[in-house]
Amino acid sequence: MADDSIAVVDLDRCQPDRCSYECSNYCPPNRTGKECITLRGEDADVGEPDQIHISEEICLGETCGICVEKCPFDAIEIINLPSELEEDPVHRYGDNAFALYGLPVPEPGSVTGILGPNGIGKTTAVRALAGEMIPNLGQWSEEANWDAVLDRYRGSELQNYIRRVMDGDVTVARKPQYVDQIPKQFDGNTRQLLERTDERGALDELVDRLSIRAVLDQNIDNLSGGELQRVALAATLARDADFYFLDEITPYLDIGQRVTAARLIQELAEDGDRSMLVVEHDLAVLDLLADTLHVAYGEPGAYGVVTSPKSTKNGINEYLNGYLNNENMRIRPSAIEFEEHAPRESAKGTPLLDYPDLEHSYGEGEFSLSVEGGTIYHSEVLGIVGPNGIGKSTLAQLFTGDLEPDNGELDFLVDIAYKPQYIQIDQPMRVDTFLSSITDDFGSSYWNTEVAQPLQLERIMEQQLTDLSGGERQRVAIAACLSEDADLYLLDEPSAHLDVEQRVRATSAIRRYAENHDATVMVIDHDIYMIDLLADRLMVFDGEPAVEGHASTPQEMRAGMNDFLADLEVTFRRDERTGRPRINKPGSQLDRKQKREGEYYYA
Ligand code: ADP
Ligand code: ADP
Ligand code: SF4
């Protein structure tokens, strides 16, 4: 086939005992007697003898694609690689397996960001850079060796780094992506976990700045996701390493905590020439954090390309534009755009519910919440912002009737569908069985277009809920919530563990759902870009976390953003080319001017 195509067979999906090899029966070369699709046979390095193998030499490429259509289990991908991609892969896991092109370049003393979807090879690249795996340069049948890798990168920015990896001279510290898994791997309390990693003697400072002193003696099993995230950050940053890899730092953290985490990472880079590599999907935080950026693109699960480094500003702009300039590569049909000016006063529809001032306290001396009464309208998306521990979930539970207010009465009768921040869908059940138990619309063309497609559920329908990754669980949980028959949909942190592409898709699915169903959606989130793209109005929480909280009445976007960001002392300017919001340097001229004028967001 064309040199620039690859065939990828997902061996977890290829189930020859449940099909009759329609792929090979219909494959045009096979029909003329060639051995394009064959059985792996007894000698196969991976997979079962009766699973298929596709010859990339004989296959006709993506324009044929008959086997892709015929396979009932979506096990086959035939992909024409972009012609701009001139090099061979850095690593290929095997025959008909995932291929990675390009590697990020760790820079001593600086923070390198990676921006791209999940399943695109970021972990693979890091394993290579950490020296845990020798990249095979696409020659999977031969034994890989570092000399060949060094040859390939001679004269490039990676040469010195690779030489150090070869000499065993690079020490590595990592923060895993899914912090929710930590309790399964560690038995003990926070202090015990952290003391094992305190190689720099910096633990005390990290504990204070990440505000985790209060949980030091708590068992890891009892920590919330936000606490686990900060403990994992402290454990990683306390190590004394040359190369730090942080796979997502923001899930479950509020904006203040996100900014603190970003500063800690930058400070560590500057202290002692350490290289920091960060994968992050909250673009405002990535923008603040990274000195340079690699964009990763491709086809998740099939191939991934890591670009050469770009300036953070250009990298994010090009990514949002959907077009990579140097690579001459379109990665998305259209651009992602932000509104530069506060939306006009939203034309309010019919009210869904009115609620009075409310108060709730968990008991004498415990957290108390006061809520300013207001009106919520049909077909609107109401953004809810504020720090962690300020009473957002408490309000959600007042609205769902799980909690009774101490003062004020909720007399509305609306059905509420609720997606909690920490998702618990651990039944041993398939995704399709689970979702079809929620709605009779499951599988209808309308449900497929509105819910399944934008949330990319097709490929995971047959998986067990217990086997899903964090991002997959999130998408199933959003789908489950939107599939309920309700008047008010309440989503707590839908962005957690979604990559940027998935955040944008989920955002438009949620918005469209509100419009088409005359439904009201309330979204609690800390990703300011997501809130910007989603919300018609804002409800702002302030107060003292864990002590007392106050919820404002729903406000117009401009007033709401000003209220929220003034509390955080963070201002945003606009990128001159794309209009996207960028966090100002604290104390910069613009920052001071905007604060004086009280314009924190739509300046
Ligand atoms: P990311 O970190 O971007 O989510 P990974 O590097 O973990 O991506 O994985 C990229 C792809 O490589 C995935 O589709 C995964 O299934 C595949 N992959 C990872 N490890 C192996 C392996 N040992 N053998 C075959 N395929 C693998
Ligand atoms: P948010 O959703 O803004 O993070 P929450 O509403 O979950 O905040 O919690 C606000 C405060 O109330 C936190 O300090 C939390 O520990 C406390 N809290 C939550 N539930 C209870 C409870 N059942 N009993 C006592 N305190 C609680
Ligand atoms: Fe055969 Fe390739 Fe066509 Fe698949 S895409 S049917 S392997 S020629």
Side-chain angles (χ1 to χ4, degrees), residues 490-505:
L490 187 50
L491 300 159
D492 195 347
E493 203 174 348
S495 72
H497 294 312
L498 297 189
D499 62 42
V500 183
E501 228 47 53
Q502 292 165 342
R503 285 174 200 213
V504 172
R505 280 165 178 263

Side-chain angles (χ1 to χ4, degrees), residues 540-551:
V540 181
F541 279 72
D542 60 13
E544 193 182 336
V547 180
E548 50 94 22
H550 170 259

Side-chain angles (χ1 to χ4, degrees), residues 373-392:
T375 305
I376 298 174
Y377 295 90
H378 278 282
S379 301
E380 78 168 335
V381 181
L382 189 61
I384 301 183
V385 291
N388 280 332
I390 203 75
K392 298 185 298 300

Side-chain angles (χ1 to χ4, degrees), residues 60 66 68 92 167 257 306 329 434-435 437 441 462 583:
L60 304 172
I66 290 176
V68 179
R92 192 151 189 203
D167 295 343
Q257 294 165 337
V306 178
M329 190 56 220
F434 172 62
L435 291 173
S437 73
D441 289 333
E462 295 180 8
I583 297 180

Side-chain angles (χ1 to χ4, degrees), residues 90-200:
V90 175
H91 187 73
R92 192 151 189 203
Y93 277 112
D95 215 356
N96 294 162
F98 181 84
L100 173 69
Y101 295 81
L103 284 175
V105 185
E107 278 280 344
S110 88
V111 182
T112 306
I114 305 186
L115 170 54
N118 290 326
I120 206 87
K122 300 179 299 277
T123 310
T124 307
V126 166
R127 287 181 59 213
L129 294 175
E132 291 168 10
M133 171 195 93
I134 310 177
N136 60 24
L137 307 178
Q139 308 299 315
W140 60 86
S141 50
E142 290 161 29
E143 190 153 344
N145 71 82
W146 279 114
D147 288 320
V149 181
L150 186 63
D151 262 355
R152 163 94 171 256
Y153 286 98
R154 211 174 283 287
S156 82
E157 294 142 311
L158 263 179
Q159 176 179 339
N160 285 339
Y161 184 86
I162 288 175
R163 197 183 290 283
R164 285 182 57 202
V165 175
M166 286 171 76
D167 295 343
D169 190 25
V170 179
T171 50
V172 182
R174 285 194 207 205
K175 191 199 78 66
Q177 182 175 20
Y178 298 121
V179 293
D180 323 55
Q181 307 283 334
I182 295 173
K184 292 189 189 134
Q185 290 147 10
F186 183 84
D187 227 1
N189 67 21
T190 306
R191 192 186 300 278
Q192 289 161 334
L193 185 140
L194 290 177
E195 277 171 358
R196 297 196 318 179
T197 73
D198 187 18
E199 296 165 355
R200 297 193 298 118

